[in-house]
Structure formats: structure tokens, C-alpha cells
Amino acid sequence: MQDEHYLTSHDDIASHIAACIKAVEDNRIARQWIVALSGGPDSTALLFFLKQEAPKFGAHLSAVIVNHNLRPESSDEAALVARRCHQWGVEAQVLPVTQTPPRHGQQEWARHQRYDLLCAYVRAKG
């Protein structure tokens, strides 16, 4: 894992948001939008917002659900979120974490796994 892939400060986040806004204003926005979806209310609200906005920019929206495999029911939950996406007309892909989690520091480990999978997926999609 390389730390430069991750946003580490408020300045980094603000500059990325500003770049996204400028891309929209300049009509240079990507035509393929991918939202990371946990299935919780925040990411689901983002999905619905982007679903509404994507056609305005001629963009295709899809969702990615990361299954960390930390609990026995996590595969079923990820599949449920993917099925809901399909019902809402959004293509969805479940990305499973295949590495064994550590005994301690699971949240940090899961975050790094998620970022690594998401970055690799987005790069593969171009």
C-alpha cells in the first residue's frame, strides 16, 4: 500500500472537491461515475443524488460494494445491497476482501483494504 493514494488532510480533501467542481463547470467530467456504496444512509443518499445528476452530464453510474468478510453475514449483506442497486437501475459490483484480517486494528486494516480495492477497480475501469 502506498500512502499517496489516500487523502490525509482537510486541504487535500478541499482541493479534490474544488477540482471536481471545476471539472463539472468546464464540462471535463468523466463519463463513468463509480460510487462506493456501504448500504448505509449516507452512501445510499449519495447514490440517489448521483443517479439523478449523471444523465445531465451524459455519465454512466455504477456502484461498488466492498465485502470485508469480517462477519459471517457480510457476504449476504453485500449481495442484498447489490440487488437493491439493480432494482434501482444501477449496475453494482461486489468486491470481496480476500486477505485474512488481523486480530487487532481491524477498522484501519479494513479501510486500507477498501481503498486499495476501490483504487484498483477504478484504475481498471479507466
Side-chain angles (χ1 to χ4, degrees):
M1 181 188 75
Q2 297 177 347
D3 287 334
E4 65 264 17
H5 295 301
Y6 308 114
L7 301 176
T8 57
S9 74
H10 293 290
D11 291 338
D12 292 338
I13 294 168
S15 67
H16 282 278
I17 291 170
C20 289
I21 291 169
K22 179 134 179 62
V24 169
E25 290 170 348
D26 294 347
N27 200 26
R28 292 183 293 114
I29 194 155
R31 300 296 178 228
Q32 184 167 329
W33 296 1
I34 302 169
V35 63
L37 184 66
S38 69
D42 293 344
S43 64
T44 302
L46 177 61
L47 175 76
F48 279 112
F49 173 75
L50 293 175
K51 186 178 185 317
Q52 179 181 357
E53 295 298 308
K56 296 176 185 177
F57 296 94
H60 174 263
L61 176 66
S62 62
V64 176
I65 301 115
V66 175
N67 175 10
H68 297 91
N69 287 305
L70 291 174
R71 296 175 290 108
E73 62 274 11
S74 66
S75 293
D76 291 338
E77 291 170 353
L80 174 64
V81 173
R83 280 194 306 276
R84 285 183 180 155
C85 286
H86 293 133
Q87 290 170 345
W88 298 327
V90 177
E91 176 187 328
Q93 174 74 38
V94 176
L95 303 178
V97 172
T98 57
Q99 294 185 10
T100 304
R103 289 180 166 263
H104 303 287
Q106 284 188 353
Q107 292 302 316
E108 181 178 356
W109 171 86
R111 182 174 47 257
H112 288 287
Q113 294 296 311
R114 182 169 57 250
Y115 290 167
D116 287 348
L117 280 172
L118 292 170
C119 287
Y121 182 84
V122 169
R123 281 190 201 102
K125 290 290 187 177

